[in-house]
Amino acid sequence: MRLTRPLVLAALLALVPASAAELKLRILSTTDIHMNLVDYDFVRDEPDESIGLNRTAALIAEARKENPNSILVDAGDLLQGSPMGDVVARVKPLTGDEVHPAYAAMDLLGYDAAAIGNHEFNFGLDLLERAQLGRKFPILAANAYRANADGSAGENLFPPSVLLTRKFKDESGAEREVKIGVIGVLPPQIMNWDKDKLTGKLVTSDAVEAVEREVPKLKEQGADLIVVVAHAGISAAPRQGGDENFAYYIGKVEGVDAIVTGHSHRVFPGKDYDTLAGADLKRGTIDGKPYVMAGSFGSHLGVIDIVLDDASGKWAIKDSHAEARPVATKGEDGKMKARLPADAAITELVKPWTEATLAYIRAPIGEAKGPFNTYLALLGDTAALRLVADAQTAYVQKMVKGTEYEGLPLLSAAAPFRVGGRPGPDYYTDVKAGPIAIKDAADLYIYPNMLTVVKLKGSEVREYLEKAARLFNRIDPAKTEPQALIGNMPAYNFDVLFGLTYAIDVTQPLRYGREAAIEDPNAHRISDIKYNGEPLKDDGDYLVITNNYRANGGGEFPRMDGTAIALVAPETNRDILVDYIREKKDITPDNTPVWRFVPVQGDPDMRIEIGPGGAALAGADPRLTKVETNETGFDVYRVKLSQ
Ligand code: MN
Ligand code: MG
């Protein structure tokens, strides 16, 4: 029999399954919001267009408009961080059936699921459980369990996973069902970081193994694809078991299709990962699987696009792409400018909490019994740096208890972050006598670094100080023309090591240049290093308290390539400072020198620039004589270091 043309066509069409089509699915994500629900920096008490869930919300709306086949997830570290988190937890605790503002905002945005981060546990389990009241989206944690009486793992604290059954439109316009399995996992290290609050109450386990257990269960329930939301960074370091930054290995689990990460406050795909094994930063994949990390504080929206195809009879992934979209970019004036207006509904919803937080950050946390400033920090004043160093030391003394590091000499590094230079003559830390508020703590420690402890030999401590002493130019005592005392190095790299005393000889050549390697092996500017009045022991072990920036290579200090790290605190140096001031209440400035200049012989004309805010202090310093006010607004002084 001969078929007519229309019949041939009909017969051919009948061979193709009625469902055969492509479907474009989008997984949107946020991470490490840290209670930045609005675009305001509550530490510095100023608007910041580059952060805030109300800013990310605008990107969420835009991305959903581009593709309505979207789900939205969050990777944790939500409830703690900005001062608003402290306000909800401690200052104005939730009452009655009041919903936590973070969850209220997320429900307004229609989140589908979220993982839980390590910082969720910082206020203790009771507060965390109360915060869950009234939340509508599921929170997932496949590797956290309540502890049984014998210390073994009991029931899951949160459900390990959820199966989202969603109706989406395929490319032909037909409505189709897609079942998305979502698994949440967290760093098992919460048991160390919040030991005091969680011991006996919780148990954690390896995250990768937990995912391996969940995947078959979701497949059995009919999951078409599986997304893992991991509160973890991406590191190709070999698996140890119980790893903190395990996300790299989640993609190696069979059946996992897409990975949403966080915890490191970085951006994937992004330049931080250009050397990562298997990473394709153009496609946003690692070994072919899509990954995303959406920065922190709402700075980015993670977007994973997946093309599904069911020509085989079931949904299969045909292609994928991932990107992290920033809410703001740097404008010509150097300020961060958001591309879209903030989401007014979120701003409005959170408003009572914003107002309570503003009152909180402006209220005193302690009392300064004198000024803490950095006008003379490059000439040896220590009060502002000592306050930071003391807070770090007090924290680490508790942190090392019961560890292999207990009893080792503790040195605490602090640098003058705000000390004139290129940012201008007003750029100094300047906390005046009187009440101290949280925003003053931000003046004392402007960066959101994490406290990090490195273990060094005494000989390495010496090299560390030599590197910091690169701040000073080499002075020729015989020269009569003016010589700038401060060289071309950012002063935030001038670490002062509290716990030691030492001398710096600026007439000696520089031992280090820009890089971490010794430049002039014969050069020595540092001498007379003492710990507790005793000479530094070259082969002795010392703990140096610093921050994640320095410990991982910031400023290119010798040995600071990450391999010397002994401990990383789950807190920022600044939060540690805030808690320290709150506890001590009265803070008295102490300018006892840590380091001193080796007297410079002869009468060289050394010069230093100091902002006009430091005029009174400089006027009272017998080493300084004012020469002029220069065209950039700095006062220029002649420095005498003859004794
Ligand atoms: Mn975080
Ligand atoms: Mg975290």
Side-chain angles (χ1 to χ4, degrees):
M1 183 179 104
R2 218 170 147 252
L3 293 174
T4 60
R5 275 182 76 102
L7 279 175
V8 172
L9 201 61
L12 281 174
L13 279 171
L15 294 175
V16 183
S19 59
E22 278 189 0
L23 189 147
K24 290 184 174 155
L25 173 72
R26 180 164 265 192
I27 300 154
L28 302 174
S29 64
T30 51
T31 190
D32 295 270
I33 297 286
H34 283 286
M35 279 307 280
N36 289 283
L37 305 182
V38 291
D39 49 350
Y40 199 86
D41 183 336
F42 289 107
V43 175
R44 306 182 72 165
D45 199 2
E46 60 191 34
D48 183 347
E49 291 189 12
S50 70
I51 60 165
L53 185 61
N54 63 340
R55 290 283 173 187
T56 336
L59 268 56
I60 292 170
E62 179 189 57
R64 281 172 168 163
K65 216 166 163 191
E66 293 163 2
N67 183 358
N69 295 343
S70 295
I71 64 162
L72 174 61
V73 298
D74 179 77
D77 271 8
L78 171 72
L79 302 181
Q80 178 278 349
S82 100
M84 194 186 285
D86 301 336
V87 170
V88 183
R90 294 172 175 155
V91 184
K92 212 165 107 23
L94 301 168
T95 54
D97 55 4
E98 198 175 5
V99 179
H100 194 290
Y103 293 142
M106 289 167 78
D107 274 322
L108 190 64
L109 291 170
Y111 273 78
D112 291 281
I116 199 146
N118 52 297
H119 281 289
E120 261 69 67
F121 297 89
N122 291 166
F123 300 123
L125 213 46
D126 290 349
L127 272 175
L128 177 59
E129 297 198 282
R130 166 57 188 87
Q132 306 309 311
L133 269 189
R135 166 175 58 75
K136 295 197 186 76
F137 62 90
I139 280 187
L140 312 169
N143 61 332
Y145 325 84
R146 291 185 194 279
N148 291 324
D150 65 357
S152 62
E155 59 168 342
N156 278 83
L157 181 66
F158 292 97
S161 64
V162 66
L163 188 68
L164 305 170
T165 304
R166 295 286 183 269
K167 293 250 193 307
F168 294 132
K169 286 222 164 76
D170 68 20
E171 289 299 284
S172 78
E175 191 168 88
R176 305 295 303 278
E177 193 178 86
V178 182
K179 288 190 166 135
I180 306 164
V182 183
I183 305 168
V185 265
L186 53 67
Q189 282 72 10
I190 58 167
M191 295 308 299
N192 309 338
W193 295 330
D194 279 308
K195 199 191 284 176
D196 53 327
K197 301 173 196 89
L198 302 181
T199 303
K201 295 178 180 165
L202 277 195
V203 176
T204 56
S205 70
D206 183 78
V208 180
E209 286 171 10
V211 168
E212 283 167 347
R213 280 196 302 273
E214 275 325 295
V215 169
K217 293 186 203 163
L218 286 165
K219 288 279 179 205
E220 211 164 281
Q221 292 171 52
D224 294 304
L225 79 160
I226 289 176
V227 181
V228 175
V229 186
H231 186 79
I234 308 169
S235 164
R239 272 269 285 159
Q240 313 250 309
D243 306 77
E244 174 186 349
N245 290 305
F246 53 78
Y248 185 82
Y249 292 96
I250 295 289
K252 314 260 179 266
V253 177
E254 208 190 309
V256 170
D257 297 300
I259 304 94
V260 173
T261 70
H263 186 53
S264 313
H265 295 203
R266 293 186 183 196
V267 175
F268 186 93
K271 59 174 167 23
D272 281 344
Y273 295 96
D274 56 4
T275 60
L276 183 76
D280 180 338
L281 300 184
K282 282 213 176 71
R283 289 189 61 214
T285 57
I286 298 172
D287 288 338
K289 286 187 186 174
Y291 270 78
V292 82
M293 191 190 301
S296 61
F297 306 169
S299 67
H300 292 70
L301 177 68
V303 181
I304 294 177
D305 283 317
I306 290 177
V307 181
L308 294 172
D309 172 295
D310 69 349
S312 68
K314 55 178 186 149
W315 291 122
I317 295 178
K318 211 175 150 186
D319 196 11
S320 73
H321 178 265
E323 63 178 329
R325 300 179 174 179
V327 303
T329 48
K330 207 175 248 177
E332 272 177 20
D333 59 357
K335 288 218 170 77
M336 295 301 280
K337 289 264 180 293
R339 190 166 51 80
L340 298 171
D343 182 318
I346 299 292
T347 310
E348 198 53 35
L349 176 87
V350 178
K351 203 168 180 189
W353 292 103
T354 301
E355 279 162 8
T357 307
L358 288 174
Y360 167 71
I361 59 158
R362 292 167 185 167
I365 54 168
E367 175 91 12
K369 295 295 174 191
F372 292 84
N373 60 56
T374 53
Y375 292 108
L376 301 184
L378 304 186
L379 293 172
D381 260 18
T382 54
L385 307 188
R386 183 184 303 277
L387 181 56
V388 170
D390 285 353
Q392 294 175 163
T393 303
Y395 183 89
V396 173
Q397 274 167 346
K398 282 188 214 152
M399 190 182 185
V400 296
K401 280 224 174 82
T403 73
E404 58 185 294
Y405 304 111
E406 188 172 358
L408 288 181
L410 270 184
L411 311 178
S412 191
F417 292 146
R418 285 158 58 77
V419 65
R422 212 166 293 176
D426 299 328
Y427 193 72
Y428 286 83
T429 295
D430 192 357
V431 176
K432 304 218 160 42
I436 297 187
I438 286 185
K439 57 184 185 177
D440 297 312
D443 190 4
L444 286 154
Y445 204 110
I446 54 166
Y447 300 111
N449 294 329
M450 305 299 284
L451 181 142
T452 304
V453 181
V454 293
K455 187 177 147 192
L456 297 179
K457 289 287 177 201
S459 55
E460 294 168 333
V461 170
R462 186 186 305 278
E463 297 297 331
Y464 190 109
L465 291 173
E466 286 284 354
K467 176 75 186 195
R470 179 182 159 245
L471 176 82
F472 301 104
N473 283 326
R474 185 184 185 185
I475 298 297
D476 179 352
K479 213 167 132 183
T480 54
E481 302 84 72
Q483 303 179 60
L485 180 60
I486 307 300
N488 188 20
M489 175 185 109
Y492 56 73
N493 285 329
F494 182 57
D495 282 14
V496 174
L497 287 188
F498 289 78
L500 298 176
T501 55
Y502 49 97
I504 302 176
D505 189 344
V506 294
T507 66
Q508 296 303 310
L510 281 68
R511 187 168 170 84
Y512 286 90
R514 252 173 220 291
E515 269 140 49
I518 295 173
E519 206 169 78
D520 182 350
N522 299 315
H524 301 280
R525 315 188 96 190
I526 302 289
S527 60
D528 197 23
I529 312 175
K530 289 196 167 128
Y531 172 78
N532 271 349
E534 298 288 321
L536 183 82
K537 293 191 181 78
D538 273 354
D539 58 354
D541 289 324
Y542 295 83
L543 292 181
V544 179
I545 312 167
T546 176
N547 56 54
N548 60 311
Y549 169 80
R550 177 73 71 243
N552 290 299
E556 301 206 40
F557 275 54
R559 278 290 275 124
M560 295 297 106
D561 55 0
T563 59
I565 294 175
L567 297 161
V568 183
E571 312 279 349
T572 62
N573 301 66
R574 182 166 60 212
D575 282 349
I576 286 161
L577 174 64
V578 168
D579 286 346
Y580 180 78
I581 297 171
R582 213 192 282 282
E583 210 165 284
K584 282 203 76 158
K585 289 275 176 284
D586 286 350
I587 305 294
T588 306
D590 175 359
N591 269 317
T592 307
V594 170
W595 61 275
R596 62 190 187 278
F597 288 108
V598 172
V600 176
Q601 303 310 323
D603 192 21
D605 183 359
M606 292 179 281
R607 301 282 177 95
I608 190 167
E609 295 179 346
I610 297 172
L617 282 172
D621 189 323
R623 297 170 298 179
L624 298 174
T625 312
K626 188 173 167 183
V627 181
E628 58 166 351
T629 300
N630 70 14
E631 67 285 353
T632 54
F634 279 103
D635 293 335
V636 180
Y637 294 84
R638 183 168 175 169
V639 193
K640 275 208 191 304
L641 299 174
S642 47
Q643 40 188 282

